Structures are given as structure tokens and as C-alpha cells.
Amino acid sequence: MKRIVAITAVFIIALAPVAAKGLKGKVVYVNPGHGGWTINDRPHATMNYEEMDTMSFFESKTCLWKGLELRDRLQAAGARVIMSRTTNGWVSVGDKNATANDREETYADENGQQQLITLFKIASQVDSLNPDYFIALHSNATGGGDGKKVNYLLYMYRGETGNDYAKGSIDRAMVAYPYMWDNPLTVWTSSSLEDKYVAGDLTWMGGTPPGEANALGYTGWLQVLKHRVPSFLVEGSFHSYQPERQRLMNRDYCRMEGVRHFRGINAWFGGKPEKHGYIAGTIKSADETINDPLFNYVDDSDDQWLPLNGAVVYLLDSRGVKIRHYKVDNEYNGFFGFFYLKPGRYTLLYDVPGYEQLTEQVVVTRDKTTYCKPRLHKNYK
Ligand SMILES: [Zn+2]
């Protein structure tokens, strides 16, 4: 009798993790959009760099930054993550636009890591592996010219609006949306929590239902979604909105987007909240506006103020000890961020030569981002 009890106990312990809610053991496929340094990887000039300079904006690069942080957060929560690629500079076999910086995609690079670009190859792999979740990361652009004052969040799933061909796609997007919307550092121009842009790809792109079937037999519009797994492609913001493009030039700003994607996926699986919190902000002038042909901002919005390149933001703990600092980049975004902070009270000290010093008390809460938007007055003394 004793022996049977012992065996039963072991059996229950072994089963417990499988039955538990959350991301543990779940398989998530992350597809950072695009992949190379070609003209088709959405290159754009920025205030400091010319178009096609690898230091300038490439959607392929920024989508990867988001995806790598998402991967890290998912893995920390116990998920198994499959990445279509983990580095930049990969193109489909025979891509005529490939540059000297690009290599042809492969199922195993020198580290044994796949670097897949061709959308059909990715869709085929997703269909055969059948992960619990699939997400394609992108940013958006307006048609007909750069620099339009348009910036919204958009989720697209395979099918018609209100009719997801892979059932569960709409539900996943609706759960994720509020987490991604929580970004007061950008300037949204439309869509909202009340009017979520969660759409069928055929409806949104103007295709005729049920769309063209791929070789696997799946219909729809977006090639990367033509598989059996409930999924979506998310346009996190518009890189054609120039102030947002300057923000996307900062890797940590993109990492914060990765964190927000993680929260949406974690919520879907009913996972535990992250134990740590985050601070993210933008530091700008209180007196000076920005005027540049590559920075067409929304009138009267936060984007009118000059971002303070090179500013230093100090993080002080509750005893007033400087524990970290962040040096703002020179890309006209003013972004600063502190990741993986213990919940509690902190002080931020903003120190920029030529400006009046400013301090701000903040509270960091687990699983949340505390946003700050300090603006500093010029010091005329
Ligand atoms: Zn894209």
C-alpha cells in the first residue's frame, strides 16, 4: 500500500508542469519580417544616414531586434522558441537585389541556426511543426510617398475580417492588442482600444475571398500566414512616420516592443506576470521644436519637441544611490530605457549640458513599464 502511494505521488509531480497554465513547454514560432540589406528590406534615409547605409533604417534590422527580445522573454518564461532567423543579412536563393552584405538563406548556418527568408519555406515549416503560436513582426508604411503623418497599430490574420480561416487567430490578436497599444512614447494617429485594427488580410489588402491557395492548399493573402496555425502578422507602428522611424533606430526602443509582444502572448497562455518591471522614456527640450525635412511630425504632438541627443539619464535607487545610467543616442528620438528592474521606488536624474537638471520620482511595478516624458528647459544662466 505504501508503495502505491509513493508511485502515485511521483506520477502527479511529473504531470504537474504539463497541466500547468502558462508558457512552460509551449512552442512559439517568431518570424522577424524581411531579412537582408536589399532595396526590398524597406531601407529609408534618416536624419544621420543615407538610404541603403546599413547604419540607417532597414525594417529587416528593427524587426529582428524586436524578435530577439521577444525570444528571450519567452524562453525565460519556459517556452520553446523557433526563430525563422536570428541575424540580419539573409536573402532568398537567387535574389537579384542581394548586396555584398547578404548571404543566401540556409537551414543551418555556421552555428546550426536556420536563417530562413522565403515566405513559403517559413509557412511550410510552421505547418509541419504546428507550434502553439505564430507571430510575424513588421512595421508599416503608407503608400504614395514617405513622411506621411500616419501611425497606427495593425494586426492582420489570414481570411476575411470577422472570419479567420485558421480559427483562433482573431482571439489571439484581440488579446495581444492592448499590450501593444500601451506605448505613450509614440504618437498614434488612428486606431484605439475601442476601435482595434484587427483585420482579415484579404479584406484589408483588397483581395477576393478566399484568396489564392499556396502549394499546401491554404488560401488567404499574406504568404507567411498560409498554414494551419492560428496566427497574425503585426505592423507594430509606421516607419514611414519619420519621428517613429527615428525611434525605431534605437535598439532598446525595439526591444521594448518585443516586451509588449511577449505580454500579449503570455496573457494568451495565462502565464505568470514577469517578476521585474521596466522604465522607458523620451527626453526632450521644453523650449525648442525640431525642424528637419526628414522629421515631419504630427502638429502640436509630443513629436514637435527637440529630442536631446546624448543626454544622460541616471537611475537612483530608494537610498539615492546611482545604480545605472543610460546614454541617449544621436538619432533624434530621445529614448532611454531601463530593463529588468526590481519593483520599487526609484529616482530619475536628467542631466544634459546647457539645460536645467531635473529629477523625477518613479514607481516600478512588476510586469509593467513605467513611462516618463521629461522635457528640460534651457539653462540661460
Ligand atoms: Zn514589413
Side-chain angles (χ1 to χ4, degrees):
M1 192 63 198
K2 253 186 188 165
R3 217 177 124 186
I4 291 167
V5 170
I7 288 166
T8 309
V10 168
F11 189 64
I12 287 165
I13 288 161
L15 266 183
V18 183
K21 281 177 105 186
L23 275 160
K24 200 156 234 165
K26 293 292 189 301
V27 180
V28 181
Y29 195 114
V30 178
N31 166 228
H34 314 277
W37 302 106
T38 81
I39 195 72
N40 290 327
D41 292 296
R42 314 295 186 259
H44 281 283
T46 59
M47 287 172 69
N48 287 335
Y49 303 102
E50 292 186 4
E51 184 173 297
M52 290 303 282
D53 184 334
T54 56
M55 291 295 287
S56 193
F57 179 85
F58 275 87
E59 194 194 327
S60 51
K61 177 171 64 174
T62 56
C63 291
L64 179 65
W65 287 343
K66 301 171 190 178
L68 291 174
E69 182 65 28
L70 172 58
R71 174 197 65 186
D72 292 350
R73 304 274 49 82
L74 288 166
Q75 287 177 340
R80 203 187 127 216
V81 182
I82 303 160
M83 300 280 293
S84 54
R85 67 181 173 100
T86 56
T87 54
N88 214 38
W90 301 92
V91 296
S92 294
V93 176
D95 189 328
K96 293 199 169 51
N97 295 309
T99 69
N101 295 315
D102 294 308
R103 293 195 277 164
E104 286 189 344
E105 65 187 330
T106 173
Y107 282 92
D109 64 11
E110 59 276 12
N111 300 312
Q113 166 65 46
Q114 70 175 12
Q115 308 290 348
L116 294 185
I117 302 306
T118 307
L119 300 176
F120 179 67
K121 284 185 183 168
I122 295 167
S124 303
Q125 188 176 61
V126 173
D127 196 62
S128 68
L129 296 175
N130 198 19
D132 298 292
Y133 204 104
F134 173 85
I135 179 171
L137 302 168
H138 286 260
S139 52
N140 212 339
T142 47
D146 184 54
K148 294 245 166 63
K149 300 173 192 179
V150 174
N151 184 36
Y152 55 77
L153 175 62
L154 171 64
Y155 283 79
M156 279 185 285
Y157 52 84
R158 187 166 68 82
E160 303 145 60
T161 297
N163 177 22
D164 43 358
Y165 292 174
K167 292 300 168 205
S169 299
I170 296 175
D171 293 345
R172 280 165 168 75
M174 292 301 265
V175 165
Y177 193 100
Y179 295 94
M180 263 302 288
W181 181 254
D182 178 31
N183 178 20
L185 303 183
T186 193
V187 171
W188 298 121
T189 59
S190 61
S191 75
S192 68
L193 286 180
E194 292 71 39
D195 182 21
K196 298 184 183 75
Y197 288 7
V198 177
D201 59 354
L202 283 163
T203 308
W204 192 271
M205 305 303 286
T208 311
E212 245 174 76
N214 67 1
L216 303 169
Y218 296 99
T219 55
W221 204 93
L222 294 165
Q223 296 299 331
V224 81
L225 298 183
K226 289 185 182 180
H227 48 73
R228 62 173 151 162
V229 177
S231 53
F232 54 76
L233 180 153
V234 51
E235 307 272 17
S237 61
F238 272 66
H239 59 252
S240 53
Y241 178 52
Q242 293 164 340
E244 179 67 2
R245 180 153 83 224
Q246 296 293 145
R247 279 186 282 272
L248 290 165
M249 288 288 286
N250 183 292
R251 181 171 184 154
D252 293 327
Y253 181 74
C254 293
R255 289 175 65 207
M256 272 310 311
E257 183 177 325
V259 169
R260 297 199 303 278
H261 287 305
F262 164 76
R263 290 174 184 153
I265 299 174
N266 195 36
W268 172 258
F269 289 108
K272 281 195 222 119
E274 283 193 301
K275 287 200 178 90
H276 52 256
Y278 304 76
I279 294 172
T282 49
I283 180 167
K284 298 181 184 185
S285 172
D287 314 304
E288 304 144 286
T289 55
I290 180 168
N291 181 20
D292 189 282
L294 278 171
F295 201 95
N296 194 25
Y297 57 80
V298 173
D299 298 346
D300 300 321
S301 71
D302 286 345
D303 282 334
Q304 71 186 298
W305 304 110
L306 179 71
L308 297 180
N309 287 347
V312 177
V313 179
Y314 293 96
L315 180 70
L316 286 68
D317 67 12
S318 56
R319 297 164 301 156
V321 177
K322 282 180 186 169
I323 50 170
R324 292 193 205 176
H325 74 278
Y326 192 99
K327 179 100 154 59
V328 172
D329 69 21
N330 291 316
E331 307 303 334
Y332 298 90
N333 52 58
F335 179 83
F336 61 91
F338 297 101
F339 288 61
Y340 323 138
L341 295 169
K342 231 198 255 177
R345 291 178 183 283
Y346 294 87
T347 301
L348 292 165
L349 168 63
Y350 307 112
D351 189 23
V352 188
Y355 292 82
E356 291 178 3
Q357 244 189 28
L358 194 70
T359 58
E360 187 175 3
Q361 316 291 324
V362 295
V363 175
V364 170
T365 312
R366 71 172 190 169
D367 206 28
K368 294 250 171 355
T369 303
T370 302
Y371 291 102
C372 306
K373 294 198 277 186
R375 283 176 44 212
L376 272 59
H377 286 286
K378 281 206 82 123
N379 191 349
Y380 295 105
K381 272 177 260 172

